[in-house]
């Protein structure tokens, strides 16, 4: 949020709110002039021009990069060589290259530049900037998975002019490196899936001095660059790296968030329905962002998947500088008219970053699940959140006093609407000084948190990385005296404008910033904070109101004299790292899983925080785009995401708000939020029938929390998205590849299709397979593969189907907060597939600590086979297992619902329940319910009372 900057006193704000909410605000759009297009960015222009030149020259274009064959060495899973770039004037530039073949089956290719590596360059303008290409992105982003494969080997059948390396499981993968011109092909089972430099667009802009007389080349964009009144001094001159990556035979590519766009990425070189600009990755505070756009947003994950029937492959471009990605789809045949649905398409992508080394990971799948796993092994799996964090969050800018917070809290109870966390936006602080409370409006923060704690609710408060530059403010003074701030290009403390006015930014790249940042969060120092207070790190792109493109100048300096240019996209990640550590150590001996919300992110942020899609608007279009945005983040390894429910800017009408809640319950991060100028819209304020509609949606989320937590647990182990797009669930069904308006919750078989258009009272749900799908609420049957089915969606209904063959754990007793459900019994919802079978699982733990690492959890597998339902232990015992299981002794399954049971069960009146170890079973009643009008019958076992943490069987 950049240009609306309210005054700091809440009283003044309240009057403004009243005034502004009386004015009809027209739909607002982004200020394009604040953000660069490709043609306004020097390195983007240069790399695109190279692509245009190569394409114009066609077959006569040859990439000027060659491997020097005498330098090729392969040892222990790693190949090293010298790549030589021959410049127009015949100069040979040495570029050391390393290709590592990893145990995980991924391959990594790194290209650096010898001269910069050795620091043999001159820096202009007297800058102290580091002379090397930035090579520390790995340090912040990669958390494992770098073990080099011992079994990778040179293929003895190598021809002259090539080096071929066999790697991966059973040597199924092969990297074929052509020496001249340099090209790499990645094959799986003898078929090429990924080609590097096939179009010849590899570009490593080597260092050269700025010559008075010029070089004869067009240097127009090489040196100082100005935009919007700011000049970037570019002390190291042009330094970009670019590469084309082709996916032959792949029509769809996905990923590279964050953009407000469809799941299947579009072409970017014009044409109907395509973009004209490359997808941009440059974390930025984009005020009133536009939809269906490749414009950059707050976060960046340069991980892309290519998918076709029976195969998924991917790449991860590890670079923290500004990055753009062009996408072009070409018919594999030379006939352009054959670009029809069934023809073979090659997707050609072109990636370029402003600085740093070229560092690329290549994944050969073959399934989307394999990609999630291998990528997650490198960048980390999503942290298993505290249980409250996946429940409902109530936020607005701002709850204005501590009494206001307590009042909202009581109202939720009065209207019996569950919620877990209430949020304080920046106005809780004293004059926008983080780590303080406004003494007039929040005189008793502890009293407020104690009240929330009565129902085990939490408080999340905003702490941003900009620190008010003010004498007498201890945080500011310490930042200065300890030299922990980001510096400007001249080496002075950088001063910019943000919420507090004149501000400085903590430089979390500095190792010394970590202990300091941690110290600020201890209960002793952040006075008034309690154990139920958690963090919201906003504006960490970083947002700078008076900076170029609302962020920091690229020639600012971070620890190690790295230019901001080199590290921009991981700036927010370094703050998260520090905040995460800070939450771990607020008090000696009190170790709980941190919860942080971040707006800026990069690959790896999933290890530390949840995120959201930033400042959206209360429009149907913004509601609609939130679904592909959430899905895209999920497949890019960062599933813990949501959008501001209700829309941040403007006032949603009741229909939009209710539909947004019905959609929001399917966001892994489920939070309502609103701009300071909007009217209050807490669910209990909404008149009937919408209040009940919203309350029911929230209750549905709470009912399904066991399934959500299980899905998060799975994600934390496998990297799989928590909510999954159609192509993840059915990777072989081509009709589903572009579907991005319906989603699956984990592997529960629950398929939701939120209504995202006005006055819409039925919806079309696409079914890929021939199993039956049942309406979740009344068990209406839908069946028929490869087509859309009309499902009623009156305003009070969330369109939700349960696929046959699944067992969904849930908890049916409404409570005020999720923690209060801790000891509640479970219901199992079973839908039998064609073979009369079903599968499901449940993961649960204390939802708070790390004791699960010592075995304090339950992980059950439920199976229905041959008329018998079993619960089996999937857990691995640890020192805390027995103690934890004791606490669950009284937590049982109180109900089993079987949808569409065998008809002969009509006469069955009982089932036999046998707990593990028991010699005899007990008899429990089975009730059979017949239904008409296309609705399935169902049977209910009431009170089998088997322990949730125990092994047992129920014989039907
Ligand atoms: C920008 C964030 O995106 C928004 O959610 C927040 O309310 C404002 N900053 C004020 O802190």
């Amino acid at each position: 949020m950049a240009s609306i900057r309210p005054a700091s006193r809440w009283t003044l704000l309240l009057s403004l709110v009243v005034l502004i909410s009386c004015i009809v605000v027209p739909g607002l759009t982004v200020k394009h002039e604040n953000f660069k297009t490709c043609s306004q960015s020097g390195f983007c222009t240069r790399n695109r021009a190279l692509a245009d030149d190569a394409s114009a020259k066609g077959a006569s274009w040859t990439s000027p990069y060659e491997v020097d064959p005498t330098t090729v060495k392969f040892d222990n899973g790693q190949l090293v060589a010298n790549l030589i770039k021959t410049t127009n004037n015949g100069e040979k530039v040495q570029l050391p290259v390393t290709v590592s073949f990893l145990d995980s089956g991924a391959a990594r290719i790194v290209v650096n530049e010898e001269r910069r590596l050795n620091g043999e360059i001159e820096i202009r303008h007297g800058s102290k900037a580091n002379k090397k290409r930035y090579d520390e992105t790995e340090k912040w982003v990669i958390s494992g998975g770098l073990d080099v494969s011992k079994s990778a080997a040179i293929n003895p059948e190598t021809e002259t002019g090539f080096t071929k390396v066999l790697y991966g499981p059973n040597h199924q993968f092969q990297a074929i490196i052509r020496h001249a011109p340099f090209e790499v092909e990645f094959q799986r089972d003898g078929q090429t899936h990924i080609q590097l430099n096939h179009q010849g667009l590899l570009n490593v802009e080597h260092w050269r001095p700025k010559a008075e007389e010029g070089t004869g080349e067009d240097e127009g964009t090489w040196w100082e660059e100005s935009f919007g009144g700011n000049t970037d001094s570019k002390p190291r001159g042009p330094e970009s790296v670019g590469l084309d990556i082709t996916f032959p035979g792949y029509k769809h590519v996905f990923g590279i968030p964050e953009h407000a766009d469809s799941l299947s990425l579009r072409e970017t070189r014009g044409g109907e329905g395509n973009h004209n600009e490359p997808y941009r990755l440059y974390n930025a505070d984009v005020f009133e962002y536009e939809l269906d756009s490749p414009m950059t947003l707050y976060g960046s994950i340069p991980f892309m998947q290519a998918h076709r029937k029976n195969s998924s492959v991917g790449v991860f471009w590890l670079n923290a500088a500004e990055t753009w990605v062009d996408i072009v789809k070409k018919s594999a045949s030379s006939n352009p008219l054959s670009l029809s649905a069934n023809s073979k398409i090659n997707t050609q992508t072109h990636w370029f970053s402003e600085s740093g080394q070229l560092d690329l990971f290549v994944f050969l799948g073959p399934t989307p699940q394999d990609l999630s796993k291998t990528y997650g092994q490198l960048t980390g799996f999503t942290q298993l959140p505290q249980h409250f964090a996946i429940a409902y969050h109530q936020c607005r800018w701002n709850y204005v006093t501590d009494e206001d917070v307590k009042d909202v809290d009581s109202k939720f109870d009065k209207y019996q609407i569950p919620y877990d966390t209430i949020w304080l936006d920046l106005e809780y602080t004293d004059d926008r000084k983080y780590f303080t409370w406004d003494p007039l409006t929040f005189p008793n923060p502890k009293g407020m948190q104690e009240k929330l704690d009565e129902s085990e609710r939490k408080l999340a408060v905003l702490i941003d990385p900009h620190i008010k530059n003010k004498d007498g403010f201890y945080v500011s003074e310490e930042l200065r005296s300890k030299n922990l701030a980001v510096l400007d290009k001249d080496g002075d403390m950088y001063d910019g404008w943000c919420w507090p006015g004149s501000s400085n930014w903590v430089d979390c790249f500095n190792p010394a910033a970590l202990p300091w940042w941690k110290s600020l969060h201890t209960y002793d120092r952040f006075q008034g904070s309690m154990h139920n207070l958690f963090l919201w790190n906003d504006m960490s792109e970083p947002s700078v109101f008076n900076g170029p493109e609302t962020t920091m100048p690229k020639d600012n300096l971070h620890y190690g004299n790295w230019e901001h240019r080199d590290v921009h996209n991981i700036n927010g990640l370094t703050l998260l790292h520090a905040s995460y550590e800070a939450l771990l150590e607020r008090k000696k001996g009190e170790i709980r899983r941190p919860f942080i919300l971040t707006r800026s992110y990069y690959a790896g942020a999933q290890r530390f925080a949840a995120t959201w899609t930033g400042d959206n608007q209360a429009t149907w279009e913004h509601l609609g785009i939130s679904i592909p945005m959430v899905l895209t983040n999920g497949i890019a390894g960062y599933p813990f995401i949501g959008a501001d429910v209700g829309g941040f800017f403007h006032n949603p009408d009741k229909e939009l708000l209710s539909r947004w809640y019905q959609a929001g319950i399917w966001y892994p991060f489920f939070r309502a939020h609103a701009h300071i100028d909007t009217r209050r819209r807490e669910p209990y304020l909404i008149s009937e029938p919408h209040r009940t509609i919203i309350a029911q949606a929230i209750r549905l989320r709470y009912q399904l929390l066991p399934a959500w937590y299980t899905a998060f647990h799975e994600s934390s182990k496998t990297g799989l998205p928590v909510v999954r797009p159609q192509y993840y669930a059915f990777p072989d069904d081509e009709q589903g590849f572009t579907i991005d308006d319906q989603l699956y919750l984990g592997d529960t078989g629950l398929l939701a299709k939120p209504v995202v258009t006005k006055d819409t009272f039925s919806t079309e749900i696409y079914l890929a397979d021939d199993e039956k799908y049942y309406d979740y609420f009344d068990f209406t049957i839908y069946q028929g593969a490869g087509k859309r089915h009309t499902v009623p969606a009156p305003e009070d209904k969330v369109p939700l189907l349960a696929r046959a063959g699944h067992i969904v754990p849930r908890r049916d007793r409404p409570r005020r907060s999720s923690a209060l459900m801790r000891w509640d019994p479970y219901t199992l919802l079973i839908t039998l597939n064609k073979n009369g079978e079903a599968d499901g699982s449940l993961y649960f733990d204390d939802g708070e600590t790390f004791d699960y690492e010592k075995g304090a959890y339950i992980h059950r597998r439920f199976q229905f086979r041959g008329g018998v339902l079993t619960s089996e232990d999937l857990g691995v015992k640890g020192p805390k297992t027995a103690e934890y299981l004791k606490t669950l002794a009284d937590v049982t399954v109180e109900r089993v619902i079987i949808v569409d049971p065998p008809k002969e069960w009509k006469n069955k009146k009982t089932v036999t329940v046998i707990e593990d170890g028991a010699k005899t079973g007990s008899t429990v009643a089975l009730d059979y319910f017949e239904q008409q009008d296309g609705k399935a019958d169902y049977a209910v076992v009431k009170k089998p009372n088997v322990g949730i943490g125990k092994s047992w069987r129920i014989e039907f």
Side-chain angles (χ1 to χ4, degrees):
M1 215 325 282
S3 48
I4 295 185
R5 283 167 217 147
S8 60
R9 284 282 166 254
W10 68 274
T11 36
L12 199 147
L13 289 170
L14 271 183
S15 7
L16 261 176
V17 172
V18 175
L19 190 78
I20 292 170
S21 55
C22 300
I23 302 168
V24 179
V25 187
L28 300 166
T29 49
V30 68
K31 290 192 176 57
H32 278 281
E33 63 277 18
N34 287 353
F35 298 94
K36 287 184 187 174
T37 57
C38 180
S39 61
Q40 290 164 321
S41 147
F43 79 96
C44 192
T45 308
R46 296 195 297 276
N47 281 280
R48 262 195 161 188
L50 173 72
D52 290 340
D53 194 27
S55 146
K57 291 195 171 119
S60 67
W61 170 258
T62 312
S63 167
Y65 293 80
E66 292 181 9
V67 173
D68 173 353
T70 63
T71 60
V72 178
K73 282 195 195 77
F74 183 84
D75 185 30
N76 221 358
Q78 221 167 32
L79 183 143
V80 292
N82 253 9
L83 199 58
I84 316 269
K85 170 185 180 182
T86 308
T87 67
N88 286 347
N89 54 22
E91 190 193 339
K92 304 275 182 204
V93 181
Q94 304 288 325
L95 307 169
V97 55
T98 310
V99 189
S100 312
F101 299 92
L102 307 179
D103 260 348
S104 62
R108 179 187 195 181
I109 172 159
V110 179
V111 181
N112 210 312
E113 179 184 348
E114 195 170 84
R115 201 155 172 182
R116 295 195 200 249
L117 204 52
N118 297 338
E120 292 160 356
I121 71 167
E122 289 148 29
I123 305 272
R124 299 172 65 241
H125 308 299
S127 162
K128 291 203 182 69
N130 197 311
K131 293 181 172 176
K132 292 204 295 189
R133 287 179 174 271
Y134 187 61
D135 57 2
E136 294 182 7
T137 313
E138 168 184 330
K139 182 171 127 189
W140 297 100
V141 175
I142 303 293
S143 61
L146 288 181
D147 291 342
V148 175
S149 161
K150 300 268 181 305
S151 62
I154 295 280
N155 185 342
E157 286 163 28
T158 298
E159 314 145 49
T160 328
F162 291 85
T163 304
K164 299 185 181 179
V165 180
L166 294 164
Y167 69 107
N170 309 317
H171 279 185
Q172 262 173 293
F173 304 158
Q174 179 167 221
I176 304 179
I177 302 164
R178 187 174 70 191
H179 299 163
F182 173 67
E183 182 179 340
V184 191
E185 267 189 28
F186 287 92
Q187 297 191 335
R188 193 182 66 228
D189 297 325
Q191 201 185 20
T192 301
H193 290 268
I194 296 181
Q195 296 159 309
L196 310 183
N197 204 31
H198 189 64
Q199 321 293 326
L201 308 183
L202 174 63
N203 186 23
V204 183
E205 292 188 316
H206 60 286
W207 183 79
R208 56 222 118 168
K210 184 169 194 274
E212 281 310 314
E213 65 285 5
T215 55
E217 290 184 62
D218 175 5
E219 295 186 25
T221 59
W222 284 15
W223 313 107
E224 295 75 15
E225 232 176 299
S226 295
F227 179 75
N230 289 284
T231 298
D232 173 6
S233 63
K234 290 175 70 175
R236 299 178 309 194
E239 193 195 310
S240 79
V241 286
L243 179 67
D244 60 274
I245 304 171
T246 304
F247 301 99
Y250 288 85
K251 188 171 162 191
H252 296 287
V253 285
F254 304 97
I256 58 166
E258 183 178 28
H259 303 98
D261 204 12
S262 51
L263 179 72
S264 175
L265 299 168
R266 297 172 221 229
E267 292 188 54
T268 58
R269 286 293 204 133
E272 210 188 317
N274 298 334
H275 299 306
N276 280 309
E277 287 283 309
Y279 285 95
R280 188 180 188 205
L281 296 169
Y282 187 58
N283 296 354
D285 184 354
V286 182
F287 185 65
E288 282 154 358
Y289 63 79
E290 66 180 3
L291 308 185
D292 304 313
S293 166
M295 262 183 95
T296 197
L297 285 177
Y298 314 91
S300 297
I301 303 182
F303 172 48
M304 179 184 272
Q305 299 192 2
H307 183 72
R308 70 177 185 218
K309 192 172 174 161
N310 296 325
S311 182
S312 289
V313 294
V315 290
F316 173 42
W317 177 267
L318 182 62
N319 189 302
E322 179 185 353
T323 299
W324 302 73
V325 185
D326 259 321
I327 298 172
V328 174
K329 299 182 185 184
K330 289 257 169 71
S331 163
S333 98
S334 49
N335 175 5
L337 294 177
S338 70
L339 205 74
S340 67
N342 298 322
S343 70
K344 216 175 146 217
I345 305 289
N346 295 339
T347 296
Q348 300 173 353
T349 64
H350 182 197
W351 302 61
F352 31 94
S353 296
E354 187 176 12
S355 65
Q357 63 178 8
L358 190 159
D359 195 348
L360 180 79
F361 291 85
V362 173
F363 310 102
L364 291 175
T367 65
Q369 287 73 14
D370 291 323
L371 297 183
S372 290
K373 186 159 184 205
T374 321
Y375 169 78
Q377 284 168 345
L378 291 169
T379 62
F381 299 130
T382 191
Q383 65 154 338
L384 180 63
Q386 284 217 32
H387 193 265
F388 81 84
I390 65 166
Y392 174 58
H393 299 261
Q394 181 62 46
C395 185
R396 82 167 273 112
W397 181 13
N398 218 86
Y399 290 114
V400 290
T401 61
D402 48 18
E403 287 304 321
D404 187 14
V405 169
K406 291 200 250 177
D407 181 55
V408 173
D409 184 69
S410 311
K411 293 273 171 43
F412 267 91
D413 291 347
K414 179 170 170 204
Y415 290 90
Q416 300 185 343
I417 304 173
Y419 91 96
D420 269 60
T421 311
I422 189 160
W423 291 61
L424 291 179
D425 210 316
L426 59 119
E427 316 304 340
Y428 78 91
T429 56
D430 180 12
D431 211 12
R432 309 230 165 126
K433 293 182 293 213
Y434 306 116
F435 305 102
T436 68
W437 304 86
D438 186 317
L440 295 178
T441 52
F442 287 85
N444 187 6
K446 281 205 167 155
M448 172 180 65
Q449 288 161 88
E450 276 157 7
K451 163 86 167 59
L452 295 173
D453 202 33
E454 282 168 17
S455 39
E456 298 195 46
R457 289 182 176 138
K458 321 289 175 197
L459 181 73
V461 300
L462 185 107
I463 302 272
D464 287 354
H466 49 253
I467 306 296
K468 189 177 177 85
N469 180 4
K470 189 157 186 195
D471 289 344
F473 174 35
Y474 73 103
V475 181
S476 172
E477 287 180 347
E478 288 178 12
L479 181 72
R480 183 177 297 275
S481 65
K482 290 174 186 284
N483 290 323
L484 295 175
V486 180
L487 306 178
D488 66 17
K489 66 177 171 29
D490 302 317
D492 299 323
M493 205 158 149
Y494 172 67
D495 188 276
W497 202 260
C498 207
W499 297 124
S502 164
S503 305
N504 307 114
W505 274 259
V506 55
D507 182 15
C508 291
F509 288 89
N510 188 339
L514 184 63
W516 178 64
W517 194 249
K518 288 202 302 203
S519 77
L520 293 174
H521 291 76
T522 59
Y523 299 132
D524 294 347
R525 297 199 79 204
F526 184 4
Q527 294 224 343
S529 69
M530 284 180 46
H531 67 277
N532 57 343
L533 176 147
F534 294 89
L535 293 185
W536 177 9
N537 285 161
D538 192 15
M539 312 289 276
S540 49
E541 294 77 19
S543 177
V544 182
F545 295 153
N546 59 340
E549 300 196 88
T550 327
T551 190
M552 256 181 200
K554 284 179 169 170
D555 47 13
N556 269 7
L557 295 172
H558 290 264
Y559 177 78
N561 284 329
W562 294 110
E563 279 195 284
H564 184 70
R565 164 188 347 273
D566 300 319
V567 299
H568 175 84
N569 281 345
I570 54 170
N571 184 73
L573 181 65
T574 63
L575 174 74
L576 281 185
H577 179 253
S579 293
Y580 186 90
E581 295 288 322
L583 283 189
L584 278 178
E585 289 182 29
R586 286 192 285 179
K587 184 177 159 198
K588 253 205 157 53
E590 181 193 89
I591 298 201
R592 285 161 314 127
R593 290 172 239 170
F595 171 72
I596 309 167
L597 179 71
T598 180
R599 193 173 68 174
S600 166
Y601 60 84
Y602 190 81
Q606 69 271 14
R607 306 197 298 269
F608 306 113
T611 189
W612 89 109
T613 64
D615 298 348
N616 59 1
Q617 302 184 30
T619 65
W620 289 96
E621 293 74 18
H622 270 270
L623 167 57
I625 205 85
S626 68
I627 309 291
M629 288 179 81
V630 165
L631 290 173
T632 295
N633 253 65
I635 63 149
Y638 198 178
F640 201 5
I641 184 170
D644 283 350
V645 170
F648 180 66
F649 294 115
H650 319 313
N651 299 300
D653 65 23
K654 288 180 217 159
E655 184 191 353
L656 175 58
L657 187 63
S658 328
R659 288 303 196 192
W660 213 314
Y661 272 95
Q662 291 177 343
I665 61 170
W666 304 109
Y667 301 153
F669 177 62
F670 175 32
R671 184 187 74 150
H673 183 38
H675 187 270
I676 195 162
D677 294 342
T678 59
R679 287 192 285 271
R680 285 279 179 122
R681 52 164 106 128
E682 288 64 37
Y684 54 79
L685 292 176
I686 313 301
S687 60
E688 292 292 15
H690 294 92
R691 181 195 304 148
T692 300
I693 292 174
I694 293 171
Q696 273 169 351
I698 299 176
R699 284 186 204 131
L700 178 57
R701 169 71 171 225
Y702 276 72
Q703 180 186 56
L704 287 170
L705 281 175
W708 278 96
Y709 199 56
T710 304
F712 264 97
H713 172 257
E714 189 187 3
S715 184
S716 74
K717 295 281 173 202
T718 63
L720 280 174
V722 172
V723 291
R724 301 176 189 163
Q726 190 67 26
Y727 86 90
Y728 252 69
F730 295 96
D732 297 342
D733 175 34
E734 287 177 301
Q735 285 193 71
F737 294 171
T738 55
I739 292 179
D740 58 8
D741 56 2
Q742 59 183 47
L743 52 87
Y744 295 83
L745 169 56
D747 59 12
T748 60
L750 291 177
L751 167 56
K753 167 83 189 273
V755 172
V756 297
T757 46
K758 192 172 171 52
D759 292 335
T760 305
F761 305 111
S762 72
T763 190
E764 304 277 300
I765 303 191
Y766 176 80
L767 302 184
D769 65 340
D770 210 25
E771 283 293 351
K772 287 183 185 164
Y773 287 71
Y774 304 95
D775 181 288
Y776 178 80
F777 304 98
D778 66 9
F779 309 144
T780 301
I781 303 170
Y782 298 89
Q783 193 173 22
K787 57 179 192 210
R788 290 174 188 273
H789 298 256
T790 305
V791 176
E795 259 197 276
D796 61 354
K797 183 155 180 206
V798 183
L800 176 61
L801 303 183
R803 180 174 179 265
H806 295 268
I807 302 177
V808 182
R810 65 186 207 197
R811 278 175 153 161
D812 290 355
R813 302 187 183 187
R815 301 270 178 206
R816 283 169 295 157
S817 73
S818 71
L820 300 179
M821 300 169 88
R822 194 178 292 124
W823 312 117
D824 279 353
Y826 288 83
T827 291
L828 299 179
L829 177 72
I830 304 183
T831 51
L832 299 179
N833 68 12
K834 285 189 206 137
N835 306 323
E837 297 177 344
D839 292 277
S841 63
L842 170 75
Y843 173 86
F844 197 67
D845 59 22
D846 66 18
E848 199 177 354
T849 71
F850 289 95
D851 283 358
Y852 65 90
E853 291 173 350
K854 298 186 185 125
Y857 65 88
I858 54 162
H859 193 190
R860 310 298 310 178
R861 175 194 286 139
F862 303 118
Q863 278 194 322
F864 195 97
R865 295 279 185 282
V868 180
L869 173 66
T870 54
S871 169
E872 258 179 78
D873 196 0
L874 285 175
V876 178
K877 294 212 173 3
K880 294 211 164 180
T881 310
E883 187 192 330
Y884 180 66
L885 285 180
K886 258 191 227 154
T887 68
L888 291 186
D890 296 330
V891 181
T892 59
V893 175
E894 67 171 342
R895 191 181 299 115
V896 179
I897 304 170
I898 303 102
V899 182
D900 220 359
K903 295 283 176 234
E904 55 272 21
W905 287 17
K906 273 187 210 170
N907 305 318
K908 199 183 274 289
K909 299 287 175 240
T910 58
V911 296
T912 308
V913 176
I914 307 165
E915 284 212 357
D916 216 22
K919 289 217 175 65
T920 53
S922 51
T923 303
V924 176
L926 175 79
D927 295 321
Y928 190 100
F929 299 88
E930 288 185 70
Q931 296 210 100
Q932 313 292 326
D933 304 326
K935 297 187 177 67
D937 294 353
Y938 61 98
V940 179
V941 182
K942 251 192 273 163
K943 298 216 184 307
N945 286 346
V946 280
I948 196 66
K950 295 192 177 139
S951 296
W952 43 259
R953 46 199 274 128
I954 302 180
E955 295 173 356
F956 285 78

